[in-house]
Amino acid sequence: MADHNATIYLFSDGACSGNPGPGGYGTILRCGNYEKEFSGGSAQTTNNRMELLAVIVGLEAINWDNARVEVYSDSSYVVNAVEKGWLWNWLKKPNFAGKANRDLWDRFVAAFHRHDVHFHWIKGHAGHPENERCDALAVAAYQPFLNSSAE
């Protein structure tokens, strides 16, 4: 049974082979002794889309509302968009101010508003165990697309 008062830790990473190109995301959700991993890939995407999708998938997987979520990401794009208020300004402008990834940002906003979310930027590829695991999940998720695009 989940402790709805416990903090949930969300670790995320996205990766691309080329930008754009085949890409993937990896996410770890941890709450107490419970841990779940998520990953997925796309044949043609960007690194920013995969970084953002990694966070969205984690937030959407939380089964109750108003969870306290500590997000750890090496994506300046995602962390700064929220923490520096860029996203909230983009949303006020017609057509999202011409910014990319409107579809994913809309999904993010819906998931974000369900919870009490706090972001922490971490340096990527610097030995952070969960970040390294998320990177491995992301890279593994796009490998099948590398093989199929070569045909």
Side-chain angles (χ1 to χ4, degrees), residues 5 19-20 25 29 32 42 46 55 97 147:
N5 294 318
N19 196 20
Y25 68 85
L29 277 182
S42 177
T46 65
V55 175
N147 298 334

Side-chain angles (χ1 to χ4, degrees), residues 15 54 71 83 151:
V71 177
E83 291 298 304
E151 296 173 1

Side-chain angles (χ1 to χ4, degrees), residues 8-89:
I8 297 172
Y9 297 92
L10 190 165
F11 304 94
S12 64
D13 198 22
C16 256
S17 178
N19 196 20
Y25 68 85
T27 307
I28 300 171
L29 277 182
R30 182 179 296 147
C31 185
N33 293 328
Y34 174 83
E35 184 171 294
K36 183 154 183 158
E37 294 181 345
F38 304 86
S39 64
S42 177
Q44 188 69 11
T45 189
T46 65
N47 191 66
N48 281 346
R49 285 186 68 80
M50 293 296 96
E51 294 280 5
L52 180 54
L53 190 56
V55 175
I56 292 167
V57 166
L59 291 175
E60 288 177 345
I62 299 168
N63 293 326
W64 65 89
D65 290 340
N66 303 313
R68 178 173 176 86
V69 184
E70 300 292 334
V71 177
Y72 292 83
S73 172
D74 64 5
S75 172
S76 295
Y77 171 68
V78 175
V79 174
N80 288 341
V82 177
E83 291 298 304
K84 293 188 175 184
W86 302 343
L87 172 61
W88 317 118
N89 289 328

Side-chain angles (χ1 to χ4, degrees), residues 17 22 42-43 139-151:
S17 178
S42 177
V139 170
Y142 74 63
Q143 291 302 314
F145 298 105
L146 289 176
N147 298 334
S148 66
S149 64
E151 296 173 1

